[in-house]
Structures are given as structure tokens and as C-alpha cells.
Amino acid sequence: VLQNLSQTPVLRELLKEAKMSGTTVKIESPELSEPQLIKLDQPGPLTSAMYQFLTEMQGTKKGVITPKELFAQVCKKAIRFKGYQQQDSHELLRYLLDGMRAEE
């Protein structure tokens, strides 16, 4: 899931913009009649951890990257992930994106 998200340029750019408080983002889509301007607040801890992880994935030459901080933030939002038991990847994706959306 995280590897797929790291290869989503729009998400990476939006998180890059979101890390700065007071930034205004312009969203254009064929479904929208006109572009939407959205003013972003300071990102929450989950969003910040996601940005940090994606930046590390894109910029590192290391062989292994561990999402410790991101996982810790997900566990705070979704207690079911604590304990390192096996979980479905789609559940992680849902909790991750819902958690980031709740921080908006």
C-alpha cells in the first residue's frame, strides 16, 4: 500500500504543499465546473508522518526504509493495528486516508 501511495505524484505534491500552514491549493478536475481553491491548515501528526515517509522513500539511497512513525500514528487512530497482528492492506489504506482526511 505504501509503495503504491509513494508512486502517486498528485498525493506527494499535495502533501508537500500541505506541510506549510496557510497554503492555498488549486484543485482542477473534469468533474468540477471550475477550479476549487482550498486553504490548508497546519497538517496533523498523521499527515506529517505520511509526508516524512514518502519523502524518505523518494529521496533515500538506503536499501530498507521502515515506516515506524507513520505506523505509530496509524495505531493512534486505529487501535486494531497495535500488536503487529496481520491485517488486510485495504484496511490500512482506509484508516490511513480517513485519518488524514479527519486532520484536514
Side-chain angles (χ1 to χ4, degrees):
V1 167
L2 295 176
Q3 288 174 337
N4 286 332
L5 290 175
S6 75
Q7 297 303 312
T8 308
V10 173
L11 177 63
R12 287 194 324 261
E13 287 301 314
L14 184 59
L15 288 174
K16 185 177 178 181
E17 297 272 334
K19 75 176 187 153
M20 297 174 280
S21 183
T23 300
T24 301
V25 177
K26 182 178 180 180
I27 298 176
E28 298 181 75
S29 172
E31 292 85 29
L32 300 172
S33 59
E34 57 186 56
Q36 300 291 313
L37 295 176
I38 299 172
K39 185 173 180 173
L40 302 175
D41 293 327
Q42 184 70 26
L46 180 60
T47 304
S48 295
M50 183 67 174
Y51 171 75
Q52 180 183 1
F53 176 74
L54 293 180
T55 301
E56 188 177 341
M57 270 192 87
Q58 292 296 312
T60 189
K61 300 293 183 200
K62 297 178 189 176
V64 177
I65 298 172
T66 57
K68 290 179 187 175
E69 179 60 27
L70 180 58
F71 183 67
Q73 293 301 323
V74 169
C75 288
K76 287 179 182 178
K77 303 278 184 188
I79 198 88
R80 72 179 343 159
F81 290 103
K82 282 188 176 180
Y84 301 98
Q85 295 178 8
Q86 185 172 346
Q87 300 289 337
D88 291 334
S89 59
H90 73 276
E91 289 180 24
L92 171 67
L93 178 62
R94 190 180 100 217
Y95 281 103
L96 180 61
L97 295 179
D98 284 348
M100 288 172 45
R101 186 178 327 143
E103 291 181 344
E104 289 179 350

